[in-house]
Amino acid sequence: MSAEALPKFTKKDFMSDQTIRWCPGCGDYSILSQVQTVLAEIGKPPHEVAVISGIGCSSRFPYYVNTYGFHTIHGRAPAFATGLKIANPELDVWQITGDGDALSIGGNHLLHALRRNVNMQILLFNNRIYGLTKGQYSPTSEENKITKSTPMGSLDHPVEPCRFALGSDATFVARSADIFVAHLREMLRETHKHQGCSFLEIYQNCNIFNDKAFDTFTGIKNRAAAVVYCKHGEPLIYGSKKVGFKGLKLNGQFNIEMVELEDENQTDGLLIHDETNPILANMLVNLAPPFPVAMGVIYRVKRPTYDDALHSQMNRAQNQKTGGFIGLQQALSGKQTWEVK
């Protein structure tokens, strides 16, 4: 179907009539707005889209989009989403999760959805705190984090979501932030475009229990000098005329260093982003201050999807020897059964 022939939808078509129950000022509002905008652009009618979530503030998402939706149980959304995609391959499946839901109780389920490469989109809202249960530290909270559950500071080493996704052999890993509206929309489009399991981490501000957790690189005064936008085939350069320009280059084989640049056109010797390079992807997700935070599509490769492979196998099985489906009794009394006396 040509782009001209696609049915036309607006953001309003994907807005439900439910009262949104997030705290005023929560970053989830921005993410919801951008998702609704992008869903309208995609062109699928609401009844061909499903939003699946687990437990947490982010997991209220299905109530607020006018599509099919399922608010499931803590950490198990990937299993529900996988089953739904297998049962109805035509559905456009989006899974919404948070850092606690996905990386604590749900870590095992997330890992398997990513490695299987189920054709769906996973959006992980990372606010580095448990918001729904009122401010305990989460798997992504920094070490020594003072919270209600860690009054003397967290002892846990944090999980890096994009590193987890790469380690799970994901085929698409990207990162954005709730406050980067245009960039977030672009990443949502790229996430949907990918054929396979797309993982998008979204830094999301919890203004009640972890306010300004990302201000060092999302704040208006800070972002130019603290964020490098990864674009395939382009040099890894960041900054502005006001704060100056910097670039990233290799120092040896596996070490990244920052270099001062005279202007944005001084790109000789800088690293060129290659989203198909897993070694570079791991380097980028591991960047920590004084290095910039990497945003954009960090890693993207093609691999057969689990759901396509499964349906292909089912078709082969149905047509093997019998020429079609076999009955239950025939299956039970076939060569693979025996009687114990």
Side-chain angles (χ1 to χ4, degrees):
M1 184 181 290
S2 67
E4 292 75 14
L6 286 172
K8 304 297 182 184
F9 297 99
T10 67
K11 178 180 176 180
K12 190 173 181 180
D13 292 314
F14 291 90
M15 298 169 65
S16 79
D17 60 358
Q18 299 298 300
T19 301
I20 300 177
R21 300 186 182 280
W22 286 321
C23 302
C26 175
D28 288 354
Y29 286 95
S30 173
I31 303 172
L32 173 64
S33 179
Q34 307 326 312
V35 170
Q36 290 167 332
T37 298
V38 171
L39 286 175
E41 292 176 2
I42 289 169
K44 274 185 173 285
H47 68 269
E48 292 183 9
V49 180
V51 178
I52 311 299
S53 67
I55 296 296
C57 293
S58 63
S59 293
R60 291 172 172 165
F61 214 88
Y63 299 111
Y64 309 144
V65 284
N66 184 33
T67 65
Y68 285 116
F70 194 179
H71 189 183
T72 73
I73 53 181
H74 204 189
R76 272 64 178 180
F80 285 87
T82 297
L84 180 61
K85 186 64 180 179
I86 290 170
N88 191 342
E90 299 304 313
L91 273 179
D92 188 9
V93 178
W94 296 72
Q95 185 207 321
I96 309 298
T97 187
D99 45 304
D101 183 56
L103 296 169
S104 183
I105 191 170
N108 187 50
H109 292 279
L110 177 60
L111 181 155
H112 294 301
L114 292 170
R115 73 171 179 86
R116 285 177 175 140
N117 200 33
V118 182
N119 192 16
M120 62 185 182
Q121 296 77 234
I122 298 177
L123 310 184
L124 188 151
F125 302 6
N126 182 10
N127 57 22
R128 293 179 177 169
I129 202 76
Y130 278 114
L132 189 66
T133 51
K134 308 299 185 284
Q136 300 82 9
Y137 82 108
S138 86
T140 58
S141 295
E142 63 272 23
E143 292 182 35
N144 300 313
K145 179 75 173 178
I146 303 294
T147 72
K148 294 176 180 177
S149 58
T150 53
M152 296 181 68
S154 167
L155 301 176
D156 289 6
H157 181 72
V159 177
E160 165 48 59
C162 287
R163 188 190 308 150
F164 177 93
L166 290 170
S168 301
D169 212 10
T171 57
F172 180 100
V173 179
R175 185 190 280 150
S176 190
D178 55 4
I179 202 170
F180 297 166
V181 173
H183 185 262
L184 178 55
R185 279 201 299 265
E186 180 187 354
M187 289 303 100
L188 289 168
R189 296 183 191 109
E190 293 299 318
T191 297
H192 183 266
K193 187 192 304 182
H194 180 68
Q195 292 299 303
C197 195
S198 306
F199 179 84
L200 175 61
E201 177 189 14
I202 306 171
Y203 288 127
Q204 175 255 320
N205 189 50
C206 175
N207 59 312
I208 302 300
F209 297 109
N210 204 20
D211 194 23
K212 297 182 179 179
F214 308 109
D215 195 56
T216 54
F217 54 87
T218 60
I220 294 177
K221 296 180 179 179
N222 304 325
R223 63 184 65 164
V227 176
V228 58
Y229 294 99
C230 304
K231 296 182 180 180
H232 185 63
E234 296 188 11
L236 292 169
I237 184 173
Y238 61 103
S240 66
K241 291 181 178 179
K242 184 176 181 180
V243 301
F245 290 96
K246 294 182 180 179
L248 301 179
K249 64 183 296 185
L250 277 181
N251 178 7
Q253 284 186 306
F254 303 110
N255 294 312
I256 291 181
E257 68 172 337
M258 295 182 297
V259 291
E260 302 277 351
L261 305 177
E262 294 180 2
D263 57 52
E264 56 189 315
N265 299 313
Q266 185 188 343
T267 59
D268 290 346
L270 295 185
L271 262 173
I272 304 299
H273 183 50
D274 179 3
E275 61 188 27
T276 68
N277 187 332
I279 297 175
L280 177 59
N282 274 281
M283 289 181 176
L284 290 172
V285 300
N286 284 321
L287 292 178
F291 288 94
V293 172
M295 296 269 184
V297 178
I298 295 170
Y299 186 65
R300 171 165 42 193
V301 292
K302 292 182 179 180
R303 195 170 78 228
T305 65
Y306 179 80
D307 34 311
D308 284 347
L310 178 61
H311 284 284
S312 175
Q313 187 182 72
M314 289 169 62
N315 290 333
R316 292 199 309 273
Q318 291 164 10
N319 292 301
Q320 191 174 28
K321 295 183 181 180
T322 63
F325 284 106
I326 62 174
L328 177 61
Q329 187 57 46
Q330 184 180 353
L332 291 175
S333 59
K335 295 180 180 180
Q336 299 302 315
T337 64
W338 61 92
E339 184 177 337
V340 178
K341 295 182 179 180

